[in-house]
C-alpha cells in the first residue's frame, strides 16, 4: 500500500529481509496466440525473469504494469526483425525496467531511468540478472526537468525513447514532448504504451 512507503531500500531490506521486499516474476515476451500460431520449428523467445517489489513501497514503479508487458513484447517482435539493431535507447519511468531490458537484447545501448532513486538499485539488479549489464546503464532522471538541462546532460544522444504507463493527465503531454525533443537525435522516435481510454491519452 502507499502507506507502507519507507525512507530507503536499505531500511526496507533491514526490516523485512530480501525475501520480504522482492519477488521474482517471469514475463513471457510472446503472447499465447503468437506461440500457438507460429511455425512448429520456431521456439518462443526466452522470457525475462526480473525482480519486483512485493508492494508499492516507494512509488507505482515498484511493480510491473500491463502496459510495460505489452511494450516489451512489441520490442521483442521489432528487435527480432532487426528493427532495434545499433540503436541507443532510453526508457523514462522505467520502474522494474521491462521494456528497456527487452530492447537491450537487440539495441547497442540502453539507458534505464526513473525519478525515484529507490528504484535504481533494483533496475541495476535486473539488468545484471538478465545478462544485460554490459549494454544497460541506469540513471536517475526526472522527465519533468527543464528540456535545456536534459539536453546539456544527455545531448540528444538517443534514437528511441520508451514510455509505458507514464502519462496520467493531458497536462503532462507537453512536458513529455519537450523531454523527448531534448533526449532524441533528429529523426528519433518516441514509443509509448498505455491503457486505452485513460484521461490525457
Amino acid at each position: 500500500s502507499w502507506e507502507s512507503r519507507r525512507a530507503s531500500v536499505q531500511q526496507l531490506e533491514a526490516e523485512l529481509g530480501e525475501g520480504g521486499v522482492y519477488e521474482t516474476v517471469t514475463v513471457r515476451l510472446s503472447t499465447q496466440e503468437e506461440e500457438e500460431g507460429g511455425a512448429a520449428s520456431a521456439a518462443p523467445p526466452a522470457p525475462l525473469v526480473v525482480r519486483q517489489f512485493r508492494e508499492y513501497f516507494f512509488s507505482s514503479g515498484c511493480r510491473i504494469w500491463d502496459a510495460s508487458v505489452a511494450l516489451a513484447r512489441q520490442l521483442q517482435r521489432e528487435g527480432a526483425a532487426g528493427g532495434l539493431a545499433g540503436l541507443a535507447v532510453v526508457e523514462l519511468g522505467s520502474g522494474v525496467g521491462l521494456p528497456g531490458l527487452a530492447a537491450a537484447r537487440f539495441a547497442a545501448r540502453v539507458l534505464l531511468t526513473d525519478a525515484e532513486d529507490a528504484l535504481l538499485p533494483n533496475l541495476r539488479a535486473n539488468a545484471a540478472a538478465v545478462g544485460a549489464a554490459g549494454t544497460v546503464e541506469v540513471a536517475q532522471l526526472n522527465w519533468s526537468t527543464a528540456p535545456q538541462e536534459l539536453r546539456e546532460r544527455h545531448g540528444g544522444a538517443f534514437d528511441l525513447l520508451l514510455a509505458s504507463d507514464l502519462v496520467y493527465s493531458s497536462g503532462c503531454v507537453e512536458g513529455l514532448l519537450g523531454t523527448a525533443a531534448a533526449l532524441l537525435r533528429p529523426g528519433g522516435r518516441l514509443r509509448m504504451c498505455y491503457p486505452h481510454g485513460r484521461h490525457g491519452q
Side-chain angles (χ1 to χ4, degrees), residues 53-88:
F53 290 89
R54 290 187 177 274
E55 297 182 34
Y56 296 109
F57 292 115
F58 302 105
S59 72
S60 61
C62 285
R63 297 179 60 80
I64 292 169
W65 290 64
D66 289 344
S68 69
V69 176
L71 182 54
R73 288 175 173 169
Q74 173 60 36
L75 292 164
Q76 171 67 38
R77 290 190 291 271
E78 185 174 345
L84 301 179
L87 297 188

Side-chain angles (χ1 to χ4, degrees), residues 123-196:
L123 282 171
R124 294 188 183 97
N126 282 337
V130 303
T135 304
V136 173
E137 301 170 65
V138 174
Q140 193 277 345
L141 189 153
N142 186 334
W143 61 269
S144 65
T145 300
Q148 180 60 33
E149 182 179 338
L150 292 174
R151 194 172 293 110
E152 290 170 359
R153 288 171 55 189
H154 299 284
F158 299 97
D159 305 293
L160 179 63
L161 188 153
L162 306 176
S164 62
D165 246 330
L166 191 66
V167 174
Y168 291 81
S169 166
S170 57
C172 299
V173 173
E174 184 177 354
L176 177 59
L177 293 177
T179 296
L183 295 175
L184 290 171
R185 295 186 175 115
R189 295 176 292 152
L190 166 62
R191 180 72 57 81
M192 294 184 66
C193 187
Y194 48 83
H196 176 70

